[in-house]
C-alpha cells in the first residue's frame, strides 16, 4: 500500500496523517475547509517539532514528513489515487454513510476503506458501499502519534485479505494491532466507557471528589490519567454518545449514562475542548485545576 488518504484534519485525523507521513507514506489529507486543513497541518508541525526537540526524529525527518502531506477540500479528488482511505470525520452516522458513498464512488475499485470510528457499526458503514469486503475499522487511540494500539475491527462482510492487509500495515507503522469483531464499543470502549461512567457515578453519589477519584486510579492502578481527566480529554459529549451506543446496542441498563454526565453535556461542559469539564482549562498552565462546580 502506498497512497493513503485521511478524511478529516481534526484531532484524530491530523494525528493519523502524522503517523502515516512519518513512516514514509504519501498522505492526501482532506477536510471541508482550508481553515480546518491549515489548523490540522499546524498541529502536525507542532507535534513533529516536539519530536525533533526530544531527538526522536531529525529536522530533515520533520521536513520530509511535512512534504509528504498534500491537502484537499474535495473528497472525490483526495481519494482518486488512494490504496487506503482512513476516514476520521465527525462521529455522526449520517455524515459517515454519506461520506462512504462518495468515497466508494471515487476511490480505486480495489482500495481499502477504513473508518476510525470509536463506536459506529462498521457493518452499517460497509453497507453504504459496493465493496463491504474492503471496509474495516482502524481505530487509532488519542494521541495517535504516541499511542501504540490500533484496534482493527472486522465488519460482518470484511474479508480475511482486508483484515490481514490492515494488520500488516499497522505493524509497519510501528503500532500494535488488535483484531476485534463488530459489536457495540468493540473492545476498547466497551471496557473504557463503563469505567469512566462508574467514576462519574462515584462523584455523583459523593463517594469522593474529582481529585480523589483520579488519584486512586492513577496511583493505585497506574493509569496515566485518572478516568475523569481522561473523560475531559476524550470529550464528555463523545463519552456520552459512546455510552448511548452501548446502552441502545445491548439494551442493558448497566450502560446507562450517569445523569451528571448527561447534565454536563447539556450545559455545554464538554471537557478540554470547551474549556471546562471535571477540571477547568484555559488558565495557561499545565496544572490540573478542579472545575468550580466540583470544589
Ligand atoms: N503528538 C506527538 N507526541 C505527543 C503528543 C502528540 N499529540 N502528545 C504527547 N506527546 C508525547 C510527548 O512528546 C511526550 O514524549 P516523551 O515521553 O518522549 O517525553 C509523551 O507523549 C508524553 O507527553 P507529556 O509529557 O506532554 O504528557 P504526559 O506524560 O502527561 O502524557 C499522554 C500525555 C500521552 C496523553 C498520557 O497522559 C496518556 O497516555 N494519557 C492517556 C491517553 C489515553 O488513554 N488515550 C486513549 C483515549 S481513548 C481513545 O482515544 C479512543 C476512543 O475511542 C475514545
Amino acid at each position: 500500500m502506498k497512497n493513503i488518504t485521511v478524511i478529516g484534519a481534526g484531532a484524530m485525523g491530523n494525528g493519523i496523517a502524522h503517523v502515516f507521513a512519518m513512516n514514509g507514506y504519501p498522505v492526501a489529507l482532506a477536510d471541508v475547509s482550508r481553515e480546518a486543513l491549515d489548523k490540522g497541518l499546524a498541529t502536525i508541525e507542532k507535534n513533529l517539532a516536539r519530536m525533533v526537540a526530544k531527538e526522536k526524529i531529525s529536522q530533515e525527518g520533520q521536513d520530509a514528513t511535512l512534504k509528504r502531506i498534500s491537502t484537499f477540500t474535495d473528497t472525490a479528488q483526495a481519494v482518486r489515487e488512494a490504496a487506503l482511505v482512513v476516514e476520521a470525520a465527525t462521529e455522526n452516522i449520517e455524515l459517515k454513510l454519506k461520506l462512504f458513498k462518495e468515497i466508494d464512488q471515487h476511490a480505486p475499485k480495489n482500495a481499502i476503506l477504513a473508518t476510525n470510528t470509536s463506536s459506529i457499526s462498521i457493518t452499517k458503514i460497509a453497507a453504504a458501499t459496493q465493496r463491504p469486503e474492503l471496509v474495516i475499522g482502524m481505530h487509532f487511540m488519542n494521541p495517535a502519534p504516541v499511542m501504540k494500539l490500533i484496534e482493527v475491527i472486522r465488519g460482518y462482510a470484511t474479508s480475511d485479505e482486508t483484515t490481514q492487509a490492515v494488520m500488516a500495515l499497522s505493524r509497519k507503522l510501528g503500532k500494535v494491532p488488535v483484531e476485534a469483531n463488530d459489536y457495540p464499543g468493540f473492545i476498547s470502549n466497551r471496557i473504557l466507557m463503563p469505567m469512566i461512567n462508574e467514576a462519574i457515578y462515584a462523584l455523583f453519589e459523593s463517594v469522593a471528589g474529582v481529585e480523589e477519584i483520579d488519584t486512586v486510579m492513577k496511583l493505585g492502578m497506574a493509569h496515566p490519567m485518572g478516568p475523569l481527566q481522561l473523560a475531559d480529554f476524550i470529550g464528555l459529549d463523545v463519552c456520552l454518545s459512546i455510552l448511548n451506543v452501548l446502552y441502545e446496542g445491548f439494551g442493558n441498563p448497566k450502560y446507562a449514562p450517569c445523569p451528571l454526565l448527561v447534565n454536563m453535556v447539556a450545559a455545554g461542559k464538554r471537557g478540554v475542548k470547551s474549556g471546562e469539564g471535571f477540571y477547568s482549562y484555559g488558565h495557561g498552565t499545565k496544572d490540573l485545576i478542579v472545575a468550580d462546580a466540583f470544589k
Side-chain angles (χ1 to χ4, degrees), residues 18 47 50-51 54 56 118 139-143 145-147 189 192-193 224-225 230 233-234 242 286:
H18 172 141
N47 287 331
R50 175 156 48 174
M51 291 177 143
K54 294 196 164 163
K56 284 186 176 169
S118 49
H139 186 202
F140 290 76
M141 302 293 127
N142 190 14
V146 180
M147 305 301 281
N189 282 317
L192 176 63
M193 287 303 155
M225 288 175 169
L230 183 56
F233 176 67
I234 293 169
I242 300 173
K286 274 189 112 185

Side-chain angles (χ1 to χ4, degrees), residues 118 139 141 149 151 153 180 185-194:
S118 49
H139 186 202
M141 302 293 127
L149 180 75
E151 194 176 24
I153 306 113
F186 319 133
I187 303 173
S188 55
N189 282 317
R190 181 160 179 176
I191 298 170
L192 176 63
M193 287 303 155

